[in-house]
Amino acid sequence: MAGRETTVVKLGGSVVTDKDRPEALDGPALDAAADAIADAVTGGDVSDLVVVHGGGSFGHHHASEHGVSKTRGSGDAAAAVEIHGAMKTLNDFVLARLHDRDVPAVPVHPFSAAYRDAAADLTLLTEQVETMLGEEFVPVLHGDVVSHEGEGVTILSGDEVVTAVATGIDADRVGFCSTVPGVLDDSDDVIPEISTYDEVAEYLGESDATDVTGGMAGKVRALLSLGSPATIFGPDDLRDFLAGEDPGTRIDGR
């Protein structure tokens, strides 16, 4: 987006939902995030903004029920519709909170805009996102199911959506609002900056295995591959990130 700074921010599923209960929204947390986004948009802190949210207790619950993950697919259309429907419900909640605050948010459902080939390589069409930004909308994407050649459907995590859309639209800044204040070392202190995975491998361990959609190790690997700086921070730092600061952990593999 020539002449304008494009920002992609992800609201973690664990931030805006209660993962301990199926399809349970964390209303106060989502309200706080929507307030921060609205103030940044209406106050001019961000020009072109894309919001992505995770699945939390909505998508993860139904994916687990049907045994679907990023690598294990299903050819059951009813399962695909159920998982997608849960994510659409959460997306509707996010949109409603943003609309209540006069944010011109519009949905983009990856189920209809993305696919994986037989090698599991992801394609996410982002031309419509660029057009929406040009019309001064705030596109809101989310984790979802996607068609996967030879597998039926598999899970597309919100983290993957962030990196795919950020690459596709050549975003200037990327932020992950997580339940932790950044990437933590073995003393639970925030690591201020990461430029290579080896710097932090000992702290991340095998965290990829704790969450079929990624975990912190997966986030760090993905963000290091971006052509723009990224930041991982906690909910209390969302306003600062949207204001142009780099709270939490800055990740820049360039």
Side-chain angles (χ1 to χ4, degrees):
M1 309 296 294
R4 297 166 65 93
E5 183 173 82
T6 306
T7 301
V8 178
V9 65
K10 186 204 173 192
L11 305 177
S14 294
V15 173
V16 297
T17 75
D18 178 355
K19 270 195 167 182
D20 292 332
R21 295 182 294 130
E23 296 199 20
L25 194 71
D26 187 334
L30 180 54
D31 281 332
D35 285 341
I37 290 170
D39 289 346
V41 170
T42 59
D45 285 338
V46 292
S47 49
D48 295 320
L49 177 66
V50 177
V51 176
V52 179
H53 63 81
S57 64
F58 286 75
H60 288 286
H61 169 72
H62 291 284
S64 178
E65 287 268 300
H66 293 287
V68 182
S69 70
K70 286 174 62 176
T71 57
R72 182 179 176 187
S74 172
D76 183 351
V81 170
E82 186 174 307
I83 298 167
H84 173 67
M87 286 309 306
K88 186 176 180 300
T89 297
L90 178 55
N91 187 250
D92 287 342
F93 280 127
V94 175
L95 290 170
R97 292 301 203 281
L98 294 174
H99 290 165
D100 286 345
R101 293 158 175 80
D102 297 323
V103 176
V106 292
V108 178
H109 303 303
F111 193 18
S112 302
Y115 63 91
R116 297 188 201 276
D117 63 20
D121 292 327
L122 174 69
T123 296
L124 175 66
L125 307 177
T126 55
E127 290 84 357
Q128 76 275 44
V129 173
E130 290 190 282
T131 301
M132 290 170 177
L133 291 172
E135 297 302 312
E136 301 188 352
F137 292 118
V138 175
V140 182
L141 300 87
H142 53 84
D144 210 341
V145 287
V146 290
S147 56
H148 186 153
E149 185 179 351
E151 293 286 343
V153 296
T154 52
I155 297 300
L156 173 65
S157 72
D159 293 352
E160 290 178 288
V161 173
V162 170
T163 54
V165 75
T167 300
I169 66 175
D170 196 20
D172 298 291
R173 302 180 72 235
V174 176
F176 276 68
C177 182
S178 180
T179 52
V180 292
V183 181
L184 307 179
D185 63 19
D186 54 4
S187 299
D188 286 339
D189 293 325
V190 174
I191 300 168
E193 187 159 359
I194 299 171
S195 58
T196 68
Y197 187 82
D198 288 345
E199 294 173 26
V200 293
E202 64 181 298
Y203 307 125
L204 299 177
E206 296 300 319
S207 58
D208 272 356
T210 66
D211 184 341
V212 295
T213 61
M216 187 60 79
K219 287 180 175 60
V220 171
R221 283 196 185 97
L223 295 179
L224 283 168
S225 69
L226 287 177
S228 56
T231 312
I232 297 176
F233 52 87
D236 292 342
D237 290 322
L238 178 57
R239 287 181 180 274
D240 288 342
F241 171 76
L242 293 171
E245 299 180 23
D246 288 323
T249 301
R250 177 184 169 91
I251 299 175
D252 193 346
R254 295 176 298 172

